Amino acid sequence: MGEAEGAVRVAAIASLTPLEELDADPFLVDSRSQHAMCARWAAERGYVITRELLVHALRPDHEILWTDVDAGLVDVFVAPSDRVLRAALRSVEAFSRECARRGVRLETAGLAEPSYSTEMKARVHRRLSMPTAGYDGC
């Protein structure tokens, strides 16, 4: 298992929000920044991200959420904020109950969201609108 052996293993949840929402809510569209926030939260605690999930209005019982938990590969779910959780999951309350039932913690990073300038929004737009053109987001 390497690096994750003995460490608290984390599944990071980001919202898959349509590019059309970029001007209204850039952070919800910017899944890369959402995952980076989760990674920072995990690193500050000595935890290891073992799974990155990118979902929208997912049912709380969907197998993609629980496969790694059932395999013993995830100890904690983390999302950047409650707002992201509400976009990513159909029912945060039902998901929270299922986490409690399965003995998996659910956390939010609670870090400050970035302020998006016009240039930052343009970078997010380029990255998301050209994924098959080999653009790597730099």
Side-chain angles (χ1 to χ4, degrees), residues 8 10-11 13-14 20 36-37 55 65 72-73 75 79 87 92 96 107 112 115 117 120 131-132 138:
V8 174
V10 179
I13 299 173
E20 292 77 25
M37 185 181 289
V55 297
L65 295 167
L73 302 174
D75 305 303
V92 175
S96 296
E107 302 278 348
S115 296
S117 65
M120 288 173 65
T132 59
C138 295

Side-chain angles (χ1 to χ4, degrees), residues 18-128:
L19 186 55
E20 292 77 25
E21 299 295 319
L22 183 62
D23 283 330
D25 200 336
F27 186 66
L28 277 186
V29 174
D30 187 4
S31 58
R32 182 179 285 179
S33 289
Q34 292 175 45
H35 276 139
M37 185 181 289
C38 292
R40 181 175 153 209
W41 176 89
E44 288 173 355
R45 288 156 181 76
Y47 298 171
V48 176
I49 300 285
T50 56
R51 180 87 154 126
E52 288 185 339
L53 300 166
L54 180 59
V55 297
H56 175 75
L58 193 67
R59 291 185 341 260
D61 64 343
H62 195 285
E63 70 180 63
I64 195 170
L65 295 167
W66 304 108
T67 300
D68 287 351
V69 171
D70 293 341
L73 302 174
V74 169
D75 305 303
V76 178
F77 285 104
V78 66
S81 65
D82 288 331
R83 192 165 68 82
V84 170
L85 272 177
R86 286 191 306 273
L89 302 170
R90 195 172 293 169
S91 171
V92 175
E93 295 76 18
F95 182 67
S96 296
R97 285 191 303 273
E98 187 62 17
C99 285
R101 187 183 78 73
R102 293 177 181 246
V104 178
R105 289 187 359 240
L106 174 60
E107 302 278 348
T108 54
L111 304 171
E113 293 182 11
S115 296
Y116 287 81
S117 65
T118 303
E119 181 181 314
M120 288 173 65
K121 287 181 188 179
R123 279 196 305 261
V124 171
H125 187 276
R126 273 192 309 274
R127 179 170 37 87
L128 295 176

